[in-house]
Amino acid sequence: MAEPLPTPADLQDGFTVGTLPPGPVADRLIEAAGHVPDRPDQVLALALEAQALADGDPLAEAFAQAYEGFARYLLSEHEAALGLLTRALAAMEPLGDLAGRSLMLGVLASVHVSLGHYDEALDIALGNLRVARALGDIGQEAWTRAMMGNAYIELDQPDRALEHGEAALRLFADLDNAVGQARAHTALGGALRSLARYAEARAHFEAALRLSREHASTLTEARALHDLGLLAHLRGDDDQALALHREALRIRTEVGNRQAQATSLIAIGQTLAEMGRPDDARPALHEALGIAQDVGAEPREAEAHAALADAYEAAGDAAAALRHLRAFHDLREALLSAQARSRIQTVEIRAQAERAQQEAEMARIRTEELGAANAELSETLRELRAAQTRLVQSEKLASLGRLSAGLAHEIQNPLNFVANFAELNTELATDLLATLEAALDGGDFDPAQARDDLEAIAANSARVRDHARRADAIVRGLMGHVRDVGGERRPTDLHELIEQAVSTVLGPSVVRVERGYGELAPVELAPASLQRVFVNLFENARWAVEHRAEAEKNGFVPTVRIETAPIEAGVEVRVVDNGIGIPLAHCTRVFEPFFTTKPAGSGTGLGLSLAYDIVTEGHGGTLAAYSREGEGATFVLTLPA
């Protein structure tokens, strides 16, 4: 049974304000920390007050935004939390507050786990572990290891879960942190349960329950009750299991952690079903499914569908069981695809390398300040540099593996269609040949049937051609990534380049094009490469506005507006459309290879990825997307002068 992972929220002083100076914002956030985790609604209210008081201070705004994201995570609003924490981290990056970033990364990793992005969560946690060690922050290292222990349980790697759980328990014991020890006990117990070492697991869960009750950590108490309920079921005491799960549900309902409520309801439903009470199980499972769908927790949603399939099968309703089983498999495939399409570009490698460089620089400063510890810190520097080299190499290999998985997933569908329609043509042609041979031997000949067979063969051949072209488009798009994203640069009239792309993409369409051009000097760039960028941006804009026009029809005017302006460091180009928009959580993912918001078969997910590479790697610029679903989208491109 999957379980949402903890954050430093279980400590009232665990989610701090880092290096934020004293003042009204810090006061609100310190007060908010006092309401963690039992009053997430109050944490949210105080975080919003802090944002209003930040008054343009970037550090204060970043911390206030992170607190809002943390509160929304506790309220199971995972997509909103993901966007808020990502923006807070981006704002924190140039401020150099490693302690603040480490704090936010810990929560961000837990959000990814709740969304089922386990690989992404572990990537973040591993980077955060290195930062915590470099800072000498034993508490952050302990919380990160506890989270990683639980994540490895989800990934069915109990041996690694044991390793991190034991390390977390030692660190929390050194800190005399009882609540942290309780969380470490849950990680150790979960790993031991996966290894069928039930007596040892029970001892850890009972220790977690005792510590959490002694120190009023309600979320950890509910987690321990839940784990003990699972063990009671495994040893055949289902009445005890139900009582434990219902007590955990009561606590989670009082706290308002809806995803955890869904987890408890699923456990209750599964227990009732296995007790031979499927009719009693279904209401709990349907309630769990509704909660999971409301909060966007796809892993819990998949578990609820699987449990409902079992319950309906036990009740003899095969049709309902099949419906839920299909929904379960669809969700599992979606979750696997989301993990396979994790960001694979070199941006991730650079970000990891930059963190390692920051750690090395911080260690160098410490060496200068602490002469007595010079030898020890020099060894730390050497280890960090070696780790950086290993990290870059491992990320390259990981990126290659994810790219291969993404390519295989994308190209398999058209290849399956090609094979299926070719097989149909073989059968039809064989039947038609037999008919003709029989007619030549004096048998009956049905011209209408022969015509139908030939028409079917022609239609199938057209489908084979279409899907082969789609596979070809995927391969050609992928090849664009391995070709040089730069090219020969020369002074270029940017407006003339844009107009060429407009003529190619938007000229023949019904889309209205508006222009807001500023006074620009010629820009040093590779015209052929930038032309591909604008073509890809305009094609995406055209698809978005035409798709909305088709849906709304009456009076809607599909419009794309292009704006240019000189900026301090170069030039800026904005492509604004009034199309269907992009979900907020996808704005940071649209530049990933193979990620697309279009329906299956409508896009390869490579156009914007290639455009991003050309702008950032080939020209040293930036490319970002801003949007709200249903309200259009804006792509902002900058190029250095």
Side-chain angles (χ1 to χ4, degrees):
M1 171 71 64
E3 172 75 355
L5 299 188
T7 69
D10 293 331
L11 280 179
Q12 292 200 351
D13 60 347
F15 201 72
T16 64
V17 293
T19 57
L20 187 63
V25 174
D27 292 343
R28 296 298 190 281
L29 298 184
I30 291 170
E31 183 181 354
H35 293 287
V36 173
D38 298 322
R39 291 292 308 279
D41 55 340
Q42 190 62 27
V43 176
L44 178 60
L46 289 163
L48 293 173
E49 286 184 30
Q51 288 183 57
L53 292 168
D55 195 27
D57 182 336
L59 186 63
E61 287 179 349
F63 270 107
Q65 196 170 55
Y67 261 78
E68 182 187 352
F70 180 50
R72 295 196 184 280
Y73 167 67
L74 293 175
L75 292 166
S76 298
E77 298 174 19
H78 301 119
E79 292 289 349
L82 189 64
L84 286 160
L85 287 163
T86 300
R87 288 195 296 274
L89 278 164
M92 185 74 74
E93 180 73 38
L95 302 177
D97 188 334
L98 286 180
R101 281 181 55 78
S102 178
L103 192 66
M104 295 174 194
L105 285 168
V107 183
L108 185 62
S110 292
V111 175
H112 277 295
V113 168
S114 295
L115 291 168
H117 305 161
Y118 301 118
D119 289 338
E120 185 75 10
L122 281 173
D123 284 347
I124 293 171
L126 284 168
N128 199 28
L129 189 59
R130 287 187 290 273
V131 174
R133 286 173 173 172
L135 289 169
D137 189 341
I138 297 174
Q140 188 63 253
E141 180 182 353
W143 281 114
T144 302
R145 282 188 175 275
M147 190 279 289
M148 291 174 69
N150 282 283
Y152 278 120
I153 293 170
E154 295 284 348
L155 292 170
D156 197 24
Q157 297 184 43
D159 290 333
R160 300 200 70 178
L162 274 176
E163 173 188 343
H164 287 286
E166 288 170 352
L169 187 59
R170 286 195 303 270
L171 292 169
F172 282 129
D174 290 343
L175 293 169
D176 197 25
N177 184 331
V179 176
Q181 291 177 57
R183 274 299 185 179
H185 278 300
T186 65
L188 282 167
L192 291 164
R193 183 180 60 218
S194 298
L195 293 167
R197 293 161 59 179
Y198 300 137
E200 295 170 76
R202 183 176 181 180
H204 281 290
F205 293 145
E206 288 176 345
L209 183 62
R210 175 180 55 79
L211 288 168
S212 60
R213 284 176 169 170
E214 288 175 357
H215 296 272
S217 178
T218 52
L219 285 181
T220 308
E221 179 184 358
R223 172 66 185 270
L225 289 166
H226 175 87
D227 286 326
L228 286 167
L230 296 180
L231 274 184
H233 171 68
L234 288 171
R235 67 173 186 267
D237 190 350
D238 286 327
D239 289 331
Q240 178 68 10
L242 276 178
L244 290 164
H245 287 312
R246 284 169 173 158
E247 178 63 9
L249 177 62
R250 180 190 65 78
I251 294 172
R252 288 166 166 176
T253 303
E254 289 178 356
V255 172
N257 191 323
R258 301 193 70 207
Q259 175 166 322
Q261 292 173 44
T263 303
S264 289
L265 287 164
I266 291 170
I268 290 168
Q270 288 177 325
T271 304
L272 288 168
E274 293 187 22
M275 292 171 69
R277 298 164 57 186
D279 291 336
D280 295 333
R282 288 198 299 272
L285 294 173
H286 277 294
E287 184 179 356
L289 179 61
I291 292 173
Q293 289 171 335
D294 285 347
V295 303
E298 290 185 343
R300 302 292 87 72
E301 187 179 347
E303 288 177 11
H305 277 301
L308 280 166
D310 291 339
Y312 276 110
E313 184 179 8
D317 191 341
L322 181 60
R323 185 171 64 252
H324 285 287
L325 188 61
R326 285 173 175 166
F328 165 75
H329 284 297
D330 289 343
L331 279 167
R332 290 290 296 171
E333 183 178 350
L335 286 168
L336 289 172
S337 296
Q339 293 181 52
R341 296 182 185 186
S342 294
R343 189 160 186 81
I344 63 174
Q345 296 173 282
T346 56
V347 173
E348 182 178 340
I349 300 172
R350 288 201 305 269
Q352 295 282 4
E354 286 170 4
R355 282 198 292 269
Q357 289 168 358
Q358 287 177 333
E359 294 169 18
E361 177 64 12
M362 184 168 56
R364 185 187 65 79
I365 294 171
R366 284 184 178 179
T367 302
E368 294 174 354
E369 294 176 345
L370 306 171
N374 182 66
E376 180 183 352
L377 290 177
S378 294
E379 180 62 26
T380 301
L381 275 173
R382 285 193 294 273
E383 290 177 358
L384 285 171
R385 287 172 182 145
Q388 178 182 343
T389 301
R390 291 194 300 270
L391 173 65
V392 170
Q393 292 302 320
S394 64
E395 286 297 332
K396 286 180 179 178
L397 291 173
S399 294
L400 179 60
R402 289 194 291 267
L403 179 61
S404 300
L407 176 60
H409 177 83
E410 290 296 330
I411 209 168
Q412 190 61 51
N413 285 337
L415 288 180
N416 286 341
F417 280 112
V418 168
N420 290 339
F421 287 124
E423 184 176 352
L424 286 174
N425 273 358
T426 301
E427 294 174 1
L428 289 168
T430 301
D431 292 343
L432 182 58
L433 181 59
T435 301
L436 291 174
E437 288 176 346
L440 291 173
D441 292 339
D444 293 335
F445 178 68
D446 185 352
Q449 181 60 46
R451 183 182 300 106
D452 290 344
D453 287 346
L454 287 170
E455 289 176 351
I457 289 172
N460 289 341
S461 297
R463 294 187 181 103
V464 168
R465 178 200 61 209
D466 292 342
H467 288 289
R469 286 176 176 171
R470 171 160 173 75
D472 178 65
I474 292 170
V475 173
R476 282 188 285 106
L478 182 65
M479 291 303 294
H481 278 271
V482 300
R483 288 195 292 267
D484 185 5
V485 296
E488 181 183 353
R489 299 193 188 189
R490 62 175 183 270
T492 303
D493 185 333
L494 195 60
H495 293 153
E496 182 179 341
L497 200 64
I498 292 171
E499 287 301 322
Q500 291 173 4
V502 169
S503 177
T504 301
V505 179
L506 302 175
S509 69
V510 297
V511 177
R512 182 171 71 188
V513 180
E514 298 178 351
R515 297 166 177 82
Y517 290 166
E519 293 291 332
L520 301 183
V523 181
E524 284 278 343
L525 52 82
S529 295
L530 258 295
Q531 181 81 341
R532 296 166 71 189
V533 172
F534 291 126
V535 166
N536 281 327
L537 291 177
F538 295 158
E539 283 180 344
N540 277 277
R542 184 181 69 178
W543 184 89
V545 298
E546 288 179 348
H547 201 66
R548 183 175 179 183
E550 181 180 348
E552 297 195 7
K553 296 180 181 177
N554 298 332
F556 177 76
V557 180
T559 304
V560 175
R561 179 171 177 80
I562 308 161
E563 301 173 353
T564 65
I567 58 176
E568 183 177 353
V571 297
E572 177 183 271
V573 180
R574 289 178 173 263
V575 179
V576 185
D577 68 68
N578 64 345
I580 59 174
I582 305 169
L584 181 62
H586 293 166
C587 285
T588 58
R589 300 194 62 205
V590 292
F591 303 114
E592 297 177 9
F594 297 116
F595 181 84
T596 179
T597 58
K598 297 178 183 177
S602 298
T604 64
L606 290 170
L608 288 177
S609 172
L610 177 57
Y612 185 88
D613 286 348
I614 291 171
V615 172
T616 59
E617 296 184 16
H619 289 79
T622 65
L623 182 58
Y626 304 92
S627 176
R628 287 187 181 275
E629 194 168 8
E631 299 180 10
T634 299
F635 285 81
V636 181
L637 180 157
T638 68
L639 294 169

